[in-house]
Amino acid sequence: MASTPITNNPDIRFLGRVLGDVIRAYGGEALFRRIEYIRSASVDRHRGVAGADTIDPGLDRLSLDETLDFVRSFMLFSMLANLAEDRQGVASEPGADVEHAIARLKKDGIGPEKIAELLDHALVAPVLTAHPTEVRRKSMLDHRNAIARLMRLRDEGVRETPDGDLVEEAIVRQVALLWQTRVLRFERLYVADEVENALSYLRDVFLPTLPGLYARWDRALGSRVPPFLRPGNWIGGDRDGNPFVTADSLRLTLSRSAEAVLAYYLDAVHALGAELSISSHHATIDAEVAALADASGDDAASRSDEPYRRALSGIYARLAATYTDLTGRTAPRPGALHGERYADPAAFRADLAAIARGLASHGGETLASSGALGRLIRSVDIFGFHLATLDMRQNSAVHERVVGELLRVAGVEPDYAALDEAARIALLRRELASPRPLTSRHASYSEETASELAIVQAAAEAHARYGRAAINQYIVSMAQSVSDLLEVHILLKEAGLYIPGDPPQAHIMAVPLFETIGDLDAGPDVMRAWFALPEIAAIATARGYQEVMIGYSDSNKDGGYLTSTWGLSKGSTALKPVFADAGIAMQLFHGRGGAVGRGGGSSYSAIQAQPPGTVQGRIRITEQGEVIAAKYGTRESAQTNLEAMASATLLASLEPQRLSTADAARFEAAMEQLSGTAFGAYRELVYGTTGFTTFFRQMTPIAEIAGLKIGSRPASRKKSDAIEDLRAIPWVFSWSQARVMLPGWYGVGQALAAFPDRGLLREMAAGWPLFASALANMEMVLAKSDMGIAERYAALVEDQDLSMRIFGTIRSGWQTTHDQLLEVTRQTRLLEKHPALETSIRLRLPYIEPLNLLQVELLKRHRAGETDPQIEQGILLSINAIATALRNSG
C-alpha cells in the first residue's frame, strides 16, 4: 500500500502508507512484497499501463494462509479508503445543505416564514433497520471510529492526544490493532447484537451531531427550528420473517436506548454543573432558579452562593433516579442526593428551560440559548427518553392467523380465514367498537399468538415508561386490504393501545407496506376504503397524518429496476388525491436499501425526484446495512448526509414545479412505455427462462453468503429455492459479489433501445429529476459491474450450455444498457459528468478484481468438496472484502 497514484486524496495516501508499514511489521517483508506486487500489477492494468495485461498477478502462488492475509489487506485498505473519502466529503453533493436550500427557495420568493411554517409540522426520519448487510464486526468499526477521531486531531495540527500519545503513532497503533483483529464472527449475529450495533451509531454519532446541526439551521433561518429531523429504528421491533424478535427484544432495545440517552444527559448535566459557577454575589438570581436550588437538597457550604450548581445537583439527582427506574441499573457517577424520577422528558426539559430563563433574565441570553445548555435542551427535544422511535413490523399473514385464533377461542367466529373481505371488515369493526377484550387469562393460545400478544403488551408498557414517542408506527408487511390494517387494531386493543369510543383512539398507527408491483397499483384503493371508515377517518384526522410505506426491494425483485422506480412514483402520485379527498396529510415511508436494486443511491436526489406534492415536509427513509456505516460512521459523514436529507425535503416540499404540465404528460407517457418494455425483458429473464434459478444459485455465492453470520434473519421467507421466496437482500448482495449487479440495471437497456424518440429521452434525462436520478444511480451500478469478472463466476455453473446461454443474454443486456445510457446522457464514458465518483470507483476497482478472482477459485475448491476450513474462511473473508470495497452492495 506504498502509494496510490489513482487518487489525490491525501488521507488515502497517508492511511495506505500506514497500512503497508503495519503489514510489513506484523506480517513480514515477504508478505508485504507479495501483496504489494499483486496490488501494483492490478493498479497498472486498470491504469492502462503498456504491457500490464501480460503481467502474472501471482494469485495462484498464494498459500491459503497468504490468501487470507491478502484478502484482509485489501479489505482493510478499502475500509480506510472509505473513511478517508467520507472525511473529505467525496460522497457529498454540491449545494446539498440547508443554507443552499434556503437561498434557492428565496430566489423563488419563498422566505423563512414559509419554511418555518412547513417545519412546524415536518418530519424527516432516517430509520436504522434490521436488515444487515454490514458484514464487519463491531470491533472493526470501533477501531475505524478511533482512527477517524485521531484523524480529526491530525487535521487540527494537534501533535499529541489528550492522553499524551503522539497522534500519528496512535493512528499506527489503531491500524495495527485492525490488522490483528478477527474480521469474521464465530457465531451468528443475534438480535441483541444488532441492537448494540445500532446503538453505537445512535449514541456515538446521532446524539452529539444533531444538536450542532440544529444550531446551524437556527442561524440559517434566524429562528429556533422545531425538532423535525429525528432518528428512527426498526431493530428489536421488526419481526417480519424473524422469529428471534420477541417482546423481550423490544424491551431490551428500549431499555438500552434509554440507558444510552440518559447517560448522555447525565454527563451533560454534570458538565453544566461544573460550567455554571455563577455566584449570587455577582448576579441576580431568578426566582425559578432559586426555587430549584432550594428544592435540590444540596446544602454543601462550598456551593451556598452558587444557585445554578445547586439547582443542577437536584436535576442530576432526579435524572439519576429516572435512569435507575427505566434501566434497572444504578446511574453512572451516582450522587449523594436523592430525587424523584422525572415523569417524562417534558418535565426534565422544563427544569432545564427554567435554568435557561434564569440566565436570560439578567443579560445572559448567550449563556441560555447556545452552548452546552442549548444543545442539551435541543437533545431532549429530539431524543426524549427513548433515543430513537422504534417501529414494530409484522407480516399480514401472521395477523390473520392470530386474529383468527383469538376470534375462535373467544367463541366469536369459528373460521375467520374463510370470510370474504366485506365480512371480515364488518366483524373487525364490531369488535373494535366493543370495550370487551377478546383474550382471556384462562384460555390457552398457540405459541405464535402468545408471542404476538406479548409484543403489543410490551409496546403498551413502553408507552407508559418512555412516552408515546417511543413507538408510533406498526408496519404491516404485504398489506393488501383494509382488514390487514384492522387486524392490527384488534391486537392493539387487547393491550389498551386502541381505545373504543366516539371518537376512538389509536396510540400506535397501523401503516400499510405496499411492496410488489401489484400492491403498489392497489394501494390507492386500499387507502380510499380505509379512510371511508368513519372511525379510521376520525383517528387519522386527530393525528393529522397517515403514513404509507412503499417497498423498493420486493417491487424490484418482482418487476425489475425501471418498473420498480416508475411503479413507486406512480403509486405515490396516485395516493396523493386519496389523501387530499380525505383531508389528511400523507407521510411516505421509503423502504430504500443500500443497493440501487433496493432503492439505494443518493438520498438528496431521490427525495427531490419524488412526485410533486407527495413529500409535504414529511418523509421517512430506511437506512440499512453497510450504508449505515458509510453515511453515519463518522460525525462528519453524518452531518453531510443529515443535511442532505433535510435540504432535499425543504426543496421537494416548497420549490415550485419546474416541469410544465405538457412536459410532465409527455415524460410520464414515455416512462410508461419504457417501463413496460423493461418489465417484459426482466420477467422473461428471471421468471421465464428455464434453469434461471439453478444458474443464479450456482453462479453467485448465494449459498456461501448464508454462511456469513451477518444477521439474525433467515435468507428466505420459506424453505424454498424459488426466487419469489428469497429475500431481496441476499438476492441483490449475491449479484453484487459476482459483479453483475443485475437488479440495478437489467431491462433498462432494452427499453431505451426500443424507444423511438431519442430526443425525448435526452429531454427527460436533462429536465426530469425522476428519470435523471434513475439513470444516475444505474450509471454508478454499471461502473461497478464487470462482465469479464462475471464470466468467471458463470464458469462455476455445472451445466455450461445453460450458463453460456443465460450469461450471454445478461452480457448482451449489459452492453446495450451501457451504450444506451451513454447515448442518452451524451457521455463518452461512464461517470464522465461525475468526476469525484468516477475517481472513487476507479480507486476501488484494482482492489476488487483480485478479490473476485480469488473468490472464484475458492468457490471452485469448496464446491468440489475440499474441506480445509481455511477455504470457507477465505470465501467469507472475500465476501466481506468485496462488500467493503463496493460500499452500497446490499
Side-chain angles (χ1 to χ4, degrees):
M1 313 304 159
S3 63
T4 315
I6 292 178
T7 179
N8 292 320
N9 188 319
D11 284 355
I12 293 181
R13 289 201 302 273
F14 169 70
L15 292 170
R17 185 176 67 252
V18 169
L19 177 59
D21 291 343
V22 164
I23 293 172
R24 182 188 282 113
Y26 289 89
E29 185 69 26
L31 176 65
F32 170 77
R33 289 186 176 280
R34 184 153 290 186
I35 290 172
E36 178 60 17
Y37 175 80
I38 297 170
R39 186 200 70 82
S40 60
S42 186
V43 167
D44 285 346
R45 277 197 305 280
H46 280 268
R47 292 175 65 202
V49 174
D53 288 340
T54 64
I55 296 173
D56 177 5
L59 291 171
D60 58 348
R61 292 191 295 278
L62 293 175
S63 67
L64 280 175
D65 284 336
E66 288 173 330
T67 295
L68 299 183
D69 286 337
F70 166 78
V71 173
R72 281 195 305 123
S73 71
F74 271 35
M75 185 273 293
L76 290 178
F77 176 79
S78 296
M79 185 177 180
L80 295 172
N82 293 346
L83 171 61
E85 289 189 348
D86 292 341
R87 284 171 35 76
Q88 297 294 330
V90 169
S92 65
E93 293 159 276
D97 58 76
V98 168
E99 192 170 351
H100 277 85
I102 292 171
R104 276 177 60 174
L105 292 171
K106 185 177 180 180
K107 289 180 180 177
D108 291 311
I110 300 166
E113 302 81 10
K114 279 285 186 186
I115 297 172
E117 183 182 332
L118 176 81
L119 293 180
D120 278 339
H121 66 268
L123 174 68
V124 179
V127 182
L128 310 187
T129 77
H131 290 294
T133 49
E134 171 54 82
V135 292
R136 293 167 291 184
R137 293 174 61 219
K138 184 174 179 297
S139 298
M140 303 287 290
L141 298 175
D142 288 343
H143 289 306
R144 189 208 62 167
N145 291 342
I147 293 169
R149 289 191 293 270
L150 290 165
M151 291 293 285
R152 282 197 294 271
L153 293 178
R154 185 173 180 267
D155 292 342
E156 296 162 5
V158 175
R159 220 172 145 265
E160 293 183 359
T161 70
D163 297 324
D165 295 329
L166 291 175
V167 168
E168 294 209 359
E169 285 187 6
I171 293 172
V172 173
R173 187 178 303 115
Q174 288 297 324
V175 174
L177 288 168
L178 267 176
W179 176 249
Q180 297 176 95
T181 296
R182 173 168 47 84
V183 177
L184 300 174
R185 299 182 181 95
F186 285 154
E187 296 181 351
R188 178 167 291 280
L189 203 66
Y190 294 99
V191 176
D193 301 314
E194 294 173 339
V195 168
E196 293 304 316
N197 284 348
L199 277 177
S200 69
Y201 293 102
L202 292 167
R203 178 188 61 241
D204 300 337
V205 178
F206 282 85
L207 263 172
T209 298
L210 270 175
L213 270 180
Y214 274 96
R216 184 190 301 172
W217 298 338
D218 288 348
R219 291 190 295 271
L221 276 168
S223 61
R224 184 176 175 83
V225 174
F228 72 97
L229 196 155
R230 304 188 294 274
N233 183 20
W234 269 18
I235 304 169
D238 174 18
R239 50 203 198 285
D240 179 19
N242 192 343
F244 306 110
V245 176
T246 64
D248 286 341
S249 303
L250 186 142
R251 293 189 183 98
L252 172 70
T253 302
L254 291 169
S255 174
R256 293 287 290 125
S257 297
E259 184 178 342
V261 73
L262 289 170
Y264 179 82
Y265 295 160
L266 285 166
D267 285 343
V269 171
H270 179 75
L272 275 175
E275 180 180 292
L276 296 183
S277 55
I278 298 169
S279 169
S280 57
H281 296 314
H282 302 298
T284 303
I285 305 305
D286 183 83
E288 279 188 296
V289 175
L292 283 172
D294 292 341
S296 70
D298 184 355
D299 54 6
S302 61
R303 290 187 291 276
S304 60
D305 68 326
E306 297 174 335
Y308 285 94
R309 280 183 166 171
R310 291 172 56 221
L312 286 163
S313 293
I315 291 172
Y316 188 95
R318 293 193 65 185
L319 196 59
T322 309
Y323 179 99
T324 299
D325 187 71
L326 293 184
T327 70
R329 300 168 182 255
T330 302
R333 201 188 298 108
L337 301 179
H338 298 283
E340 180 183 350
R341 68 150 288 184
Y342 283 110
D344 52 39
F348 173 44
R349 189 194 190 281
D351 281 355
L352 296 175
I355 298 286
R357 285 192 296 271
L359 292 168
S361 63
H362 300 288
E365 183 63 40
T366 300
L367 292 175
S369 61
S370 59
L373 178 58
R375 288 193 297 274
L376 178 55
I377 292 173
R378 177 70 79 183
S379 296
V380 179
D381 290 340
I382 300 166
F383 302 107
F385 288 165
H386 61 283
L387 183 58
T389 298
L390 181 67
D391 288 1
M392 302 167 69
R393 183 169 79 130
Q394 183 56 283
N395 195 287
S396 61
V398 175
H399 299 144
E400 179 185 297
R401 292 193 297 269
V402 168
V403 169
E405 182 175 347
L406 294 179
L407 292 168
R408 184 178 68 254
V409 172
V412 175
E413 169 57 51
D415 193 357
Y416 172 74
L419 300 178
D420 63 22
E421 177 67 3
R424 288 188 184 193
I425 291 173
L427 173 57
L428 296 173
R429 291 182 69 195
R430 286 196 301 272
E431 286 301 318
L432 288 171
S434 168
R436 168 186 55 79
L438 281 173
T439 54
S440 168
R441 70 181 63 184
H442 304 297
S444 59
Y445 300 99
S446 67
E447 183 178 348
E448 180 178 61
T449 295
S451 177
E452 294 301 307
L453 291 173
I455 282 276
V456 292
Q457 187 57 51
E461 294 168 11
H463 274 206
R465 291 175 67 79
Y466 309 105
R468 290 188 185 175
I471 303 175
N472 286 334
Q473 282 93 353
Y474 192 129
I475 314 294
V476 184
S477 298
M478 302 304 292
Q480 298 172 333
S481 64
V482 167
S483 64
D484 288 341
L485 301 177
L486 290 174
E487 287 160 5
V488 171
H489 282 175
I490 292 288
L491 297 178
L492 294 175
K493 176 172 173 273
E494 294 304 305
L497 293 169
Y498 181 99
I499 302 170
D502 187 17
Q505 301 174 53
H507 294 166
I508 292 177
M509 174 173 46
V511 176
L513 167 50
F514 300 127
E515 299 181 77
T516 66
I517 300 298
D519 291 345
L520 289 165
D521 289 342
D525 289 338
V526 173
M527 296 312 298
R528 189 175 291 105
W530 180 241
F531 291 141
L533 303 180
E535 61 272 36
I536 298 304
I539 290 169
T541 300
R543 185 190 304 116
Y545 67 96
Q546 168 69 45
E547 181 170 286
V548 172
M549 185 172 184
I550 51 179
Y552 290 69
S553 302
D554 284 288
S555 61
N556 178 286
K557 189 159 66 73
D558 182 36
Y561 175 62
L562 197 66
T563 302
S564 171
T565 300
W566 180 228
L568 289 158
S569 180
K570 283 198 304 179
S572 302
T573 301
L575 286 168
K576 181 184 168 186
V578 175
F579 279 74
D581 291 345
I584 294 163
M586 178 169 66
Q587 177 171 296
L588 286 177
F589 185 11
H590 294 258
R592 291 162 58 86
V596 169
R598 298 181 54 241
S602 164
S603 296
Y604 180 69
S605 60
I607 293 172
Q608 289 188 83
Q610 294 307 306
T614 60
V615 176
Q616 303 173 0
R618 305 190 68 91
I619 190 167
R620 297 205 306 150
I621 296 176
T622 57
E623 303 283 27
Q624 320 192 31
E626 80 279 11
V627 169
I628 296 175
K631 287 188 174 183
Y632 309 113
T634 66
R635 295 183 192 180
E636 294 90 345
S637 60
Q639 285 181 346
T640 297
N641 286 287
L642 293 170
E643 274 268 18
M645 288 183 70
S647 60
T649 302
L650 291 180
L651 294 171
S653 303
L654 295 173
E655 200 167 32
Q657 171 67 6
R658 309 291 185 197
L659 208 59
S660 70
T661 303
D663 282 344
R666 288 193 304 130
F667 292 173
E668 289 167 7
M671 191 67 156
E672 186 70 22
Q673 184 175 336
L674 290 167
S675 172
T677 306
F679 178 80
Y682 176 85
R683 292 289 301 188
E684 181 181 355
L685 174 71
V686 175
Y687 297 102
T689 300
T690 302
F692 185 84
T693 300
T694 300
F695 169 82
F696 161 67
R697 290 191 171 274
Q698 292 183 5
M699 175 188 174
T700 73
I702 176 66
E704 289 76 15
I705 285 171
L708 255 184
K709 299 171 176 61
I710 61 173
S712 59
R713 186 183 304 270
S716 286
R717 290 188 170 91
K718 303 175 183 176
K719 291 184 178 179
S720 158
D721 284 343
I723 291 170
E724 291 89 339
D725 296 327
L726 183 68
R727 291 192 174 278
I729 295 166
W731 164 253
V732 173
F733 199 42
S734 301
W735 287 117
S736 298
Q737 288 285 313
R739 302 291 298 284
V740 179
M741 314 284 193
L742 183 135
W745 58 266
Y746 193 82
V748 183
Q750 293 94 316
L752 295 174
F755 195 80
D757 191 339
R758 318 307 291 170
L760 178 55
L761 291 178
R762 291 196 179 107
E763 276 189 74
M764 292 163 63
W768 191 19
L770 174 70
F771 195 59
S773 176
L775 293 183
N777 288 335
M778 186 178 75
E779 186 175 358
M780 176 183 66
V781 166
L782 292 173
K784 291 183 178 181
S785 59
D786 188 311
M787 289 300 108
I789 291 175
E791 189 171 9
R792 303 286 191 105
Y793 284 86
L796 295 170
V797 178
E798 293 174 8
D799 184 341
Q800 276 297 290
D801 289 339
L802 171 73
S803 178
M804 287 302 98
R805 176 167 49 84
I806 295 178
F807 183 70
T809 301
I810 292 172
R811 181 167 49 196
S812 173
W814 184 93
Q815 192 63 52
T816 299
T817 306
H818 169 275
D819 296 346
Q820 291 294 316
L821 175 76
L822 294 184
E823 183 183 336
V824 169
T825 58
R826 301 185 186 218
Q827 298 180 102
T828 60
R829 67 179 188 276
L830 293 175
L831 301 176
E832 182 179 350
K833 296 179 180 179
H834 306 280
L837 182 57
E838 180 184 28
T839 299
S840 172
I841 291 176
R842 282 191 177 184
L843 166 68
R844 280 166 167 67
L845 294 180
Y847 294 85
I848 305 173
E849 179 182 304
L851 294 171
N852 284 121
L853 298 178
L854 277 175
Q855 186 181 86
V856 169
E857 291 307 309
L858 292 170
L859 287 170
K860 284 181 186 175
R861 295 173 65 175
H862 179 64
R863 294 176 181 182
E866 292 193 40
T867 58
D868 190 319
Q870 285 189 305
I871 292 176
E872 183 178 4
Q873 188 180 0
I875 293 170
L876 299 184
L877 271 174
S878 68
I879 291 171
N880 187 307
I882 293 168
T884 300
L886 288 172
R887 305 208 81 173
N888 52 347
S889 61

